């Protein structure tokens, strides 16, 4: 895919409209909306498809994977309540768009992808846009124990259950956001680590993600 980093009036205008659409769909967090308004989502698309970049849709990024729908990105990010300096783990780097949103909010981001071609592509492209997370290649269903604990963990693929290993990598008071369900649909689940062995779990709306594949996954 040929990347072109040009952000002209048409894309800027489309991005503003996307922010208004997300507001009308219930996204309220001003910082999340600011980040969506800032990150050029068309940079993650071949120029031929720039017309699709600010529609509220998921879109193929190769290797059978997708860049998540903007509403889903905003919804998960809002749940995470990122504060500047939070140490955040993202499982499923994919295109890197969600990673840029988290970095815009001031996260110290660790992001892991299991598909080598996506990992290589994102690792090259994001620094060109000025975004520098810590990149990892591997099975994110195991978390990244050597860098734990994390303030926040976000899983951007659908899991069959909440992996115990991830919970153990949350700081006390930390939050995990993970879609859990079957191959067709998942409920968004948030888990707050309230104490050493105490977890508060809330089930929210239904989404459809590509599967989380790995040792503690499908
Ligand atoms: N956050 C991404 C974005 O902004 O484009 C969303 C990408 S897509 C919906 C989910 C990603 O999770 C895919 O790139 C897929 O390869 C990856 N994935 C699936 N299972 C994984 C695992 N066990 N570890 C790391 N990445 C995984």
């Amino acid at each position: 895919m040929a990347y072109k980093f040009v952000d002209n009036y048409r894309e800027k205008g489309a991005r503003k409209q996307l922010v208004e659409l997300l507001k009308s769909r219930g996204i309220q967090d001003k910082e999340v909306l600011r980040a969506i308004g800032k990150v050029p989502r068309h940079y993650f698309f071949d120029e031929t498809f720039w017309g699709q970049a600010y529609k509220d849709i998921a879109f193929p990024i190769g290797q059978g994977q997708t860049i998540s729908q903007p509403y889903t990105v905003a919804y998960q990010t809002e749940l995470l309540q990122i504060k500047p300096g939070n140490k955040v783990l993202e499982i499923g780097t994919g295109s890197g768009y969600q990673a840029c949103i988290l970095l815009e909010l001031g996260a110290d981001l660790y992001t892991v992808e299991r598909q080598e071609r996506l990992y290589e592509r994102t690792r090259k492209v994001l620094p060109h846009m000025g975004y520098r997370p810590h990149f990892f290649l591997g099975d994110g269903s195991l978390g990244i124990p050597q860098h734990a604990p994390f303030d926040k963990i976000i899983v951007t693929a659908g899991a069959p259950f909440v992996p115990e290993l991830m919970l153990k990598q949350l700081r006390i008071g930390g939050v995990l956001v993970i879609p859990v369900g079957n191959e067709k649909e998942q409920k968004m689940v948030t888990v707050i680590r309230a104490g050493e062995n105490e977890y508060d779990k809330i089930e929210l709306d239904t989404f459809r993600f590509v599967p989380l594949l790995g040792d503690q996954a499908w």
Side-chain angles (χ1 to χ4, degrees):
M1 180 153 83
Y3 290 98
K4 191 171 162 193
F5 301 135
V6 177
D7 193 20
N8 58 33
Y9 72 93
R10 194 182 311 140
E11 282 68 43
K12 285 192 172 106
R15 206 151 61 239
K16 272 192 187 149
Q17 283 179 6
L18 174 62
V19 169
E20 291 308 314
L21 180 71
L22 295 178
K23 271 193 211 166
S24 75
R25 293 197 173 165
I27 302 298
Q28 293 179 355
D29 188 309
K30 288 198 169 60
E31 276 298 292
V32 173
L33 292 166
R34 182 192 60 76
I36 301 266
K38 176 108 189 272
V39 177
R41 191 168 184 261
H42 64 284
Y43 285 4
F44 300 87
F45 290 63
D46 189 278
E47 194 177 355
T48 328
F49 299 113
W50 278 9
Q52 306 297 311
Y54 295 103
K55 292 185 179 165
D56 193 19
I57 53 170
F59 202 79
I61 55 171
Q63 318 306 308
Q65 301 303 325
T66 52
I67 177 171
S68 299
Q69 184 181 343
Y71 175 73
T72 307
V73 172
Y75 185 101
Q76 285 197 286
T77 310
E78 196 167 57
L79 289 173
L80 283 171
Q81 292 288 302
I82 304 286
K83 305 278 176 297
N86 273 178
K87 188 170 172 183
V88 180
L89 171 62
E90 179 195 24
I91 296 159
T93 314
S95 68
Y97 176 69
Q98 170 79 71
C100 294
I101 298 292
L102 296 168
L103 290 162
E104 273 297 334
L105 295 173
D108 173 22
L109 183 64
Y110 293 69
T111 182
V112 54
E113 172 57 53
R114 65 178 285 280
Q115 292 223 26
E116 195 166 357
R117 284 173 75 174
L118 290 176
Y119 160 79
E120 288 298 349
R121 188 164 84 190
T122 309
R123 200 163 64 115
K124 282 196 196 102
V125 169
L126 257 56
H128 280 292
M129 300 180 191
Y131 294 107
R132 290 181 178 78
H134 311 278
F135 291 101
F136 297 84
L137 173 67
D139 178 5
S141 75
L142 303 168
I144 313 184
Q146 67 273 31
H147 290 288
F150 297 98
D151 297 302
K152 312 281 162 69
I153 301 178
I154 172 173
V155 181
T156 70
F161 53 85
V162 178
E164 184 77 20
L165 279 168
M166 269 183 216
L167 293 177
K168 295 286 174 211
Q169 291 175 39
L170 274 181
R171 204 185 290 285
I172 292 175
V175 183
L176 166 68
V177 174
I178 179 169
V180 180
N182 57 33
E183 288 98 327
K184 288 207 181 104
E185 57 176 42
Q186 304 87 32
K187 290 273 182 211
M188 197 63 76
V189 172
T190 67
V191 187
I192 298 171
R193 185 170 192 182
E196 188 56 38
N197 291 306
E198 202 185 322
Y199 297 94
D200 297 332
K201 183 175 157 188
I202 307 167
E203 249 186 44
L204 298 154
D205 297 310
T206 303
F207 290 83
R208 185 173 186 166
F209 281 82
V210 295
L212 182 74
L213 301 173
D215 189 75
Q216 295 297 302
W218 293 107

